[in-house]
Structure formats: structure tokens, C-alpha cells
Amino acid sequence: MQKRLIDIARPTIRFYEDLFETFPFEEFNIIQVNAFGYGQAPPGMMIITNEAFNGKVDDFSALFTKGINQRFAHEIAHQYWGHLVKMATPEEQWITESFANYASALAMRSMKNQGTSAFEGMLSRWRNQASAYASAGTIPFANRLRWIENPRGSFLARTSLLYEKGALILEALYKEMGDKNFALFMK
């Protein structure tokens, strides 16, 4: 399984170097955490939970395994969107998350065995989530959502705004700008 993760990380980093610029750190360490369902991206590393290393070993871990390639690509993208491009305030977190999310979708589209269907699938999920929480608030105020009676709803709305609705804005910009101008914009 570790070899498979390295085989995802290397081409993803190469893809981002073409899309953005040289990888910002000399090395990239992947660290396993004994938990499920998240990733973090400190400078030069990724902290990722068990399902990335174990695959679908049981029903519980299978819940988190779907989309592991995209989550990997998302966390690698944070080496650029989060460390090179930083957020000054919580209202700007959508920039780091949306750009990392959109970059991960582009990376998935570029990988063999992923392709356009993975990219289109992500866009479809983003559209569904963004429309489900369209009335929750604006993207910059996503971190201020506090529905005391429904903390799960607050979390889902925040996630939809920061990660998905912002990524859809980038997709709209791509369609408007075209390949060449969007590539310049991303650099």
C-alpha cells in the first residue's frame, strides 16, 4: 500500500510543478495517523489517516477510502495553497481550500485510471453540495456558521462553502478564461 501512495504522490507533485511552479520543499514526508477520515498538510509533509495505508479492510474504513487519491492530491496541493499562498484571515480560508480542491480535481483528471470521469464526478458532487447549502451564507463567512441546534449542518455548510462552492468559482473562471489564460492565472 505504501508503494501505491508514493505512486500517487510523485505524479501529483510533478503535475503541480507544471501547473504552478517548482515544488516548494526539498522533500515530502507522508505520515500515518491512527485515526480515520482526514488529512493535514504541514510544510513538506502530509499527515493522513489509516484508510490511506490500509485500503478497504473493513466496512468502517471503506467509508473513508473512497476518494483517497483526491484527498491525497488535495493535501499535496496545500504545499502551494496554504504555504506559498497563505490566508491572512479566516474569511480567506476558502482560497486555500478551494484552490487545493480544484487543483486536486485537475490532478485526478490528468492521472491514468482517473481521467475526465473522476473530474466530472467531483464537479457534480460540488454542484450538489453547493446547491444544498446555497442559502447558508457567503463563502467568506463560512467559518462563522454556528447552528447550535444542528452542528452537523453547520459543518456540512461550512465545508460546502469553503471547499466546493469556491472550487466551482474556479471552474467557472476556467471556462471563461480558457486553458492558456487559466494556466497563467494559476501560476
Side-chain angles (χ1 to χ4, degrees):
M1 185 56 88
Q2 285 82 356
K3 181 182 177 337
R4 182 173 106 20
L5 298 178
I6 291 168
D7 289 345
I8 295 167
R10 281 191 179 131
T12 301
I13 289 170
R14 280 193 298 271
F15 176 80
Y16 290 154
E17 287 183 321
D18 288 341
L19 185 62
F20 305 127
E21 63 178 47
T22 303
F23 194 69
F25 301 100
E26 287 186 30
E27 60 181 49
F28 186 67
N29 296 294
I30 302 168
I31 299 167
Q32 180 179 4
V33 175
N34 190 21
F36 287 97
Y38 72 90
Q40 294 285 315
M45 72 174 67
M46 175 193 317
I47 299 169
I48 192 98
T49 52
N50 285 334
E51 70 279 359
F53 296 88
N54 300 332
K56 297 177 184 176
V57 294
D58 58 31
D59 290 340
F60 181 70
S61 62
L63 291 171
F64 302 106
T65 304
K66 184 178 181 190
I68 195 69
N69 293 356
Q70 186 271 331
R71 189 170 349 135
F72 233 66
H74 176 94
E75 297 306 333
I76 294 170
H78 276 308
Q79 300 305 307
Y80 296 93
W81 303 103
H83 298 301
L84 290 185
V85 176
K86 299 178 185 295
M87 60 181 210
T89 67
E91 289 80 15
E92 295 171 350
Q93 185 179 3
W94 77 273
I95 295 170
T96 61
E97 295 302 348
S98 294
F99 274 79
N101 227 23
Y102 193 70
S104 70
L106 295 174
M108 291 297 93
R109 185 173 66 184
S110 76
M111 289 183 187
K112 63 180 180 181
N113 301 328
Q114 298 290 321
T116 304
S117 63
F119 180 78
E120 292 298 327
M122 282 185 261
L123 289 177
S124 178
R125 282 191 304 280
W126 296 344
R127 284 185 199 106
N128 288 339
Q129 287 298 103
S131 66
Y133 295 99
S135 64
T138 63
I139 294 171
F141 291 103
N143 283 321
R144 295 183 182 187
L145 293 175
R146 299 288 185 270
W147 302 337
I148 293 172
E149 257 100 76
N150 186 359
R152 183 175 187 276
S154 296
F155 172 79
L156 293 173
R158 177 189 170 274
T159 301
S160 172
L161 292 169
L162 292 180
Y163 292 75
E164 295 154 353
K165 192 171 183 179
L168 289 172
I169 290 171
L170 294 173
E171 172 64 5
L173 284 172
Y174 167 75
K175 286 180 177 177
E176 182 74 26
M177 297 170 83
D179 285 330
K180 187 176 180 180
N181 288 332
F182 190 76
L184 289 171
F185 166 73
M186 291 297 276
K187 286 187 183 287

